[in-house]
Amino acid sequence: MDFALTEEQRAVRDVARRIARERIAPRARDLDRSHTYPSEALRELAELGLLGVNVPEAYGGSGAGAVAYAAAIMEIAEACCATSVVTAVTNMVAEQIVAWGTEAQRKAWVPRLTSGAAVAGAFALSEPQCGSDAAALSTTAVRRGDRWVIDGAKQWITSGDHAGVVLVWARTGGPGPKGVSCFVVEGGAKGMAAGKPEHKMGLNGSSTVPLVFDGCEVPADRLLGEEGGGFRIAMSALDGGRIGIGAQAVGVLRACLAASRRYARDRKAFGKPIAEQEAIRWKLADMATELAAAELLVFRAASLKDLGQPFSREASMAKLFASEAANRATSQAVQIHGGYGYLDEFPVERYFRDARVQTLYEGTSEIQRTVIARQILR
Amino acid sequence: MDLALTAEQSQLAETCRAFADRELKPHARRWDREHHFPAEAVHKLRELGLLGVAIPERWGGAGMDTVAYALAMEEVSRGCASTGVIMSVNNSLYCAPVNRFGTDAQKEKWLAPFARGERLGCFALTEPEAGSDAAAQKTTAVRQGDSYVLNGSKNFITNGPNAAAVLVFAMTDMSKGHKGISAFLVPEGIPGLVRGKPDDKLGITASQSCSLFFEDCRIPAENRLGAEGDGFKIAMSTLDGGRIGIAAQALGIARAAFEEAVAYAKERKSFGAPIADHQAIQFMLADMATEIDAARLLIWKAATLEDQGARHSAESAMAKLYASEMANRVTNKAVQIHGGYGYLKDFDAERHLRDARITEIYEGTSEIQRLVISASVLKD
């Protein structure tokens, strides 16, 4: 048993750490305040191979595996959660096309994502009336000659208004999961329109938009995988995606611990640094312990993925635990900072807002518990 | 990153699991009710080499690593938490420090028979007025020629009533505070060492603990472990390892409670369906399973660091803190899932809850673990 990263994994982590600290962290507050999409950071991340960490080099990726990917996302999220989510979604979209696409599809689409030419990837599964219950989606794709015509509405699409490559799930058959297929749609395709960005509680630097499909025609070769195979693609993408969000939550936990430790040492009350009060120390201890556990759960799921073993239960556990722990930690970090924690002069109120979505997206905590329980009771 | 067990480690876990299913689980409820010290189980631990798991074969142990020890502790404690603590005290709190700090001559006499499991050892640090604040010791050891004379009292000494030797800590120089503490090996049955009657406890009732009274108890100077003044260091480093054992005990208790809750939830019906079909129950099970896995990873990490010879005070404190508090949540939920039956002694759920409760207290309370962890956080 060995918990250390391999040399290659460490190298990826170090590259991510450097750009996160030097380029991403200094911009995080401004992106949040001004609701600015991190296009510049995405370009820089692409240059470093961080938009395709677990994508083979043949398609422009780094081919470094899921553990390296998780380690990279942790670093980026520690600096800026919004940047980490658009990075994670782009990686996920590229991975799906590699996993399910034909060689022609891989060659056509993946390098655009990993090189940054596509700016970002987007994942269009959720709809206004169907989130967790994805098999109930109602967007349709109808075959007409050598084209598919997509109609319907998607909701909560991260990078939907910037992405050059969008995976879209639509119903091509009867009701239920077996009637769903997945398509690769190019950004700016005729008939696909992004609505105005949502006003969110956090993750302000990432853009979240509705996408409306109105007679959007795509060539037949945009079908990813088999007709009716879309639900399976979505579920396997989400398993991997959960590692990404778990890693993102770990990044937030690390940021919280670092900020809280710094503040607790500097701030004095009753004649001594508040770090000397047990009430504060206990919070730091709990935060550090949950961080350690979350990190291990995420890396375990990622390492199973790298070994080609089933990891769905483990990814759900990692995502559930890490996101819930991040929410406890951000709340405690605000508490440690007192009134200052409520001001945007300190980063912890941003962490608090950014972490809140982690128990919601890529499967709510309730969905993770359902996945885990199903496996226990099987 | 490689989280796979070695063939040897998996085989040991498998052996211990089968042993627990066959020899511990069927009796644990009765042992608990009768406060029966499971001498027969201890005898089998000895046959399986589980009383000196990580002690070198040269000194009678099984020569395995700390990860293996943690696996064995988890499986044995899953069968019977009392048997788990008997095993843990002998392994972590007695054999480990004698192995680490003893001379070869001391190991011959004070380690080999204990690591082989022919005898049990115990660890006497806590006093009526000094628990978490171990440096506030009042027991004294005064050098007289080539002897030491011990006076004072120790309490909560697990295996105290059953042990053939006591690793005891006493002040050899009061003026030096914790640097004035030394460690000694004391055989049972010598004049001046009196054992109190076994404590009546909330849980782990098949293991025994008692007070030990030292009244002008004279021992040869050669029984001192380490140098004079090394006692506190020996105690603290022992507890770092001990915490891995107790964390694994807590994990084993939690697993027992979880497995029984799953079985019950599949069987028991309400509102026309097994209660396992209800989301309220499913979500409890999902949280239990997630926390169990988190605890196991923290334990394996601390154990791996120990095996690599790296410092692991913060990591073992995290493992112990998290696993013990997790075990309390999990056993409590298992009682809840069993409903009223969970409150009856006809099921094991209530025993698991009582057994889990001690894991937050002994080998350093949760508060002491948080102190250790926060010190490490603030040092970085």
Side-chain angles (χ1 to χ4, degrees):
Chain A
M1 193 166 301
D2 188 4
F3 288 84
L5 297 177
T6 63
E7 207 170 309
E8 187 189 18
Q9 291 161 350
R10 239 184 0 252
V12 171
R13 184 212 46 201
D14 290 347
V15 166
R17 179 172 291 175
R18 178 181 295 173
I19 184 177
R21 292 187 181 169
E22 291 175 5
R23 305 286 299 161
I24 296 174
R27 297 187 285 216
R29 187 194 296 176
D30 282 348
L31 290 190
D32 177 64
R33 281 184 180 166
S34 61
H35 295 222
T36 307
Y37 188 77
S39 311
E40 205 180 328
L42 283 169
R43 264 197 306 278
E44 293 165 357
L45 288 163
E47 277 169 29
L48 297 169
L50 294 172
L51 294 187
V53 178
N54 189 28
V55 166
E57 289 168 84
Y59 308 109
S62 299
V67 168
Y69 167 66
I73 293 294
M74 288 174 189
E75 296 296 329
I76 298 166
E78 185 176 349
C80 174
C81 232
T83 305
S84 82
V85 70
V86 297
T87 307
V89 174
T90 305
N91 270 276
M92 177 163 84
V93 169
E95 275 192 50
Q96 295 322 305
I97 299 174
V98 172
W100 304 94
T102 61
E103 190 56 25
Q105 286 174 326
R106 291 173 182 170
K107 282 192 172 136
W109 301 102
V110 179
R112 290 197 209 185
L113 289 161
T114 53
S115 68
V119 181
F123 188 91
L125 176 65
S126 287
E127 299 186 352
Q129 302 303 328
C130 110
S132 295
D133 183 12
L137 61 81
S138 58
T139 295
T140 56
V142 177
R143 183 78 186 239
R144 285 216 195 105
D146 60 353
R147 307 182 81 74
W148 290 95
V149 183
I150 305 174
D151 282 283
K154 295 289 174 179
Q155 184 83 325
W156 318 118
I157 312 308
T158 300
S159 298
D161 50 347
H162 291 83
V165 179
V166 184
L167 293 185
V168 179
W169 278 263
R171 190 163 299 287
T172 50
K178 289 188 177 142
V180 176
S181 301
C182 179
F183 299 88
V184 185
V185 180
E186 194 169 358
K190 202 165 161 242
M192 176 175 79
K196 72 175 179 29
E198 306 288 356
H199 285 273
K200 307 189 295 292
M201 171 179 172
L203 286 186
N204 290 330
S206 84
S207 184
T208 310
V209 297
L211 282 180
V212 177
F213 295 85
D214 183 9
C216 176
E217 287 192 18
V218 297
D221 67 2
R222 303 294 163 84
L223 174 68
L224 187 69
E226 291 169 14
E227 191 177 330
F231 192 74
R232 201 154 64 104
I233 299 177
M235 292 304 111
S236 106
L238 287 173
D239 281 346
R242 283 162 191 167
I243 294 175
I245 302 307
Q248 186 190 79
V250 167
V252 172
L253 277 157
R254 287 182 186 168
C256 276
L257 184 63
S260 302
R261 172 170 58 201
R262 202 162 47 233
Y263 187 81
R265 277 179 185 145
D266 292 348
R267 170 75 181 186
K268 290 199 174 63
F270 305 104
K272 56 185 182 185
I274 61 169
E276 288 174 30
Q277 308 282 2
E278 283 180 351
I280 303 298
R281 296 182 75 113
W282 271 210
K283 292 183 202 296
L284 296 174
D286 286 338
M287 225 183 256
T289 302
E290 297 201 340
L291 162 60
E295 219 173 76
L296 289 167
L297 285 166
V298 171
F299 279 136
R300 174 182 67 163
S303 101
L304 287 171
K305 184 178 173 188
D306 279 341
L307 292 169
Q309 291 175 14
F311 65 95
S312 162
R313 169 179 179 271
E314 289 77 7
S316 283
M317 285 182 169
K319 199 270 184 184
L320 171 65
F321 186 94
S323 62
E324 299 270 344
N327 275 274
R328 286 189 289 272
T330 52
S331 179
Q332 290 303 323
V334 169
Q335 194 68 22
I336 290 170
H337 283 70
Y340 289 107
Y342 205 67
L343 303 183
D344 81 346
E345 203 178 312
F346 285 86
V348 290
E349 65 86 29
R350 186 179 85 240
Y351 301 157
F352 179 83
R353 289 183 288 108
D354 286 351
R356 190 60 192 88
V357 75
Q358 291 167 354
T359 63
L360 305 174
Y361 64 9
E362 310 259 357
T364 58
S365 288
E366 290 67 31
I367 286 294
Q368 309 309 330
R369 291 189 176 100
T370 304
V371 170
I372 298 162
R374 196 180 296 143
Q375 303 223 13
I376 291 168
L377 294 166
R378 203 165 51 187
Chain B
M1 186 142 319
D2 171 17
L3 306 185
L5 299 177
T6 63
E8 194 187 32
Q9 288 163 346
S10 339
Q11 199 188 342
L12 177 72
E14 194 49 56
T15 304
C16 292
R17 192 173 308 140
F19 162 68
D21 280 335
R22 202 177 52 240
E23 311 279 355
L24 302 176
K25 250 185 179 315
H27 311 295
R29 196 184 306 162
R30 179 173 55 82
W31 292 340
D32 169 71
R33 192 174 303 166
E34 295 170 2
H35 294 214
H36 168 76
F37 180 80
E40 52 277 57
V42 173
H43 187 77
K44 282 172 183 141
L45 291 178
R46 171 185 164 185
E47 288 172 355
L48 291 168
L50 295 177
L51 289 166
V53 179
I55 301 300
E57 289 171 80
R58 178 182 173 204
W59 301 116
M64 297 181 76
D65 59 14
T66 314
V67 171
Y69 170 58
L71 290 166
M73 271 301 298
E74 175 185 343
E75 296 301 338
V76 169
S77 303
R78 173 182 154 272
C80 170
S82 293
T83 306
V85 72
I86 295 164
M87 171 177 160
S88 138
V89 167
N90 196 67
N91 274 275
S92 300
L93 297 191
Y94 182 84
C95 289
V98 178
N99 180 51
R100 186 141 173 227
F101 297 98
T103 61
D104 280 3
Q106 284 176 325
K107 289 183 192 177
E108 200 67 59
K109 180 172 180 187
W110 297 102
L111 177 56
F114 295 82
R116 284 196 296 267
E118 293 155 13
R119 296 173 183 182
L120 286 180
C122 67
F123 177 87
L125 175 66
T126 297
E127 299 187 358
E129 305 283 326
S132 294
D133 182 11
Q137 299 281 307
K138 289 197 184 111
T139 298
T140 56
V142 176
R143 180 85 186 229
Q144 286 181 4
D146 50 9
S147 306
Y148 282 95
V149 178
L150 275 62
N151 276 288
S153 56
K154 298 285 177 181
N155 66 346
F156 301 128
I157 310 308
T158 303
N159 289 357
N162 329 97
V166 186
L167 173 58
V168 64
F169 296 83
M171 281 284 180
T172 42
D173 187 346
M174 275 288 191
S175 69
K176 288 187 180 157
H178 71 274
K179 288 187 176 154
I181 300 173
S182 305
F184 301 93
L185 292 158
V186 181
E188 65 139 2
I190 64 166
L193 170 55
V194 177
R195 290 186 291 207
K197 69 175 180 23
D199 299 321
D200 197 357
K201 309 187 296 299
L202 171 71
I204 51 166
T205 58
S207 81
Q208 296 182 334
S209 68
C210 67
S211 297
L212 297 178
F213 304 98
F214 296 87
E215 292 156 4
D216 290 327
C217 177
R218 183 179 293 274
I219 55 167
E222 67 186 29
N223 287 17
R224 193 187 65 227
L225 188 69
E228 265 199 18
D230 280 356
F232 193 73
K233 189 182 76 187
I234 295 174
M236 292 303 115
S237 82
T238 300
L239 289 174
D240 278 351
R243 283 164 190 165
I244 295 174
I246 296 307
Q249 184 201 23
L251 174 61
I253 296 170
R255 243 186 70 210
F258 170 72
E259 288 170 6
E260 289 155 22
V262 170
Y264 186 82
K266 285 178 171 169
E267 219 170 77
R268 168 77 182 187
K269 290 196 174 61
S270 75
F271 306 103
I275 61 170
D277 287 359
H278 302 314
Q279 220 167 38
I281 303 296
Q282 289 185 0
F283 282 19
M284 276 197 257
L285 294 174
D287 285 334
M288 291 158 86
T290 302
E291 295 193 12
I292 284 172
D293 277 21
R296 187 180 293 109
L297 289 166
L298 287 169
I299 291 167
W300 286 1
K301 167 114 188 256
T304 300
L305 289 173
E306 166 135 332
D307 288 333
Q308 291 168 345
R311 275 212 63 146
H312 60 88
S313 301
E315 287 80 2
S316 51
M318 285 179 182
K320 201 280 191 176
L321 171 65
Y322 187 80
S324 62
E325 299 206 335
M326 172 282 289
N328 277 273
R329 288 190 293 271
V330 165
T331 54
N332 206 28
K333 281 181 180 142
V335 167
Q336 193 68 22
I337 289 171
H338 281 78
Y341 290 108
Y343 202 69
L344 299 186
K345 301 221 166 190
D346 301 343
F347 284 80
D348 290 327
E350 63 85 30
R351 187 181 89 245
H352 299 319
L353 176 59
R354 289 185 289 109
D355 287 347
R357 192 63 188 83
I358 189 62
T359 62
E360 290 180 300
I361 299 171
Y362 62 15
E363 308 233 355
T365 58
S366 287
E367 290 67 34
I368 286 294
Q369 309 309 330
R370 289 191 171 92
L371 205 61
V372 171
I373 298 161
S374 62
S376 152
V377 166
L378 289 163
K379 199 179 62 199
D380 287 349

